[in-house]
Amino acid sequence: MIEVIVDRWSKAGKTDFPWSVWRDGKRIYQGNAQANASEAERVARSYCKLELKCEPDRVTHL
């Protein structure tokens, strides 16, 4: 199973949205933080399509 996780990090009044791709419970890629959650999801989905040749099975926003 391929899962995209979009996290939310806030520090000193700034919020970033890093994302990662997991396969069967193991992280296989950590992407750069994006300015908002929807952009992080879009970039993560693009990574899956280009690199893994598939859509993620699940997208989780933390």
Side-chain angles (χ1 to χ4, degrees), residues 20-36:
S20 55
V21 178
W22 297 69
R23 178 182 284 145
D24 299 327
K26 294 182 183 181
R27 186 172 63 190
I28 61 170
Y29 189 79
Q30 176 70 50
N32 293 327
Q34 301 298 311
N36 59 60

Side-chain angles (χ1 to χ4, degrees), residues 17-62:
F17 295 85
W19 59 274
S20 55
V21 178
W22 297 69
R23 178 182 284 145
D24 299 327
K26 294 182 183 181
R27 186 172 63 190
I28 61 170
Y29 189 79
Q30 176 70 50
N32 293 327
Q34 301 298 311
N36 59 60
S38 60
E39 183 65 9
E41 182 175 337
R42 185 192 68 74
V43 172
R45 285 181 178 277
S46 179
Y47 171 85
C48 289
K49 288 178 194 174
L50 290 172
E51 299 297 326
L52 304 177
K53 309 294 188 242
C54 67
E55 289 280 342
D57 298 299
R58 178 169 53 197
V59 176
T60 302
H61 289 260
L62 301 177

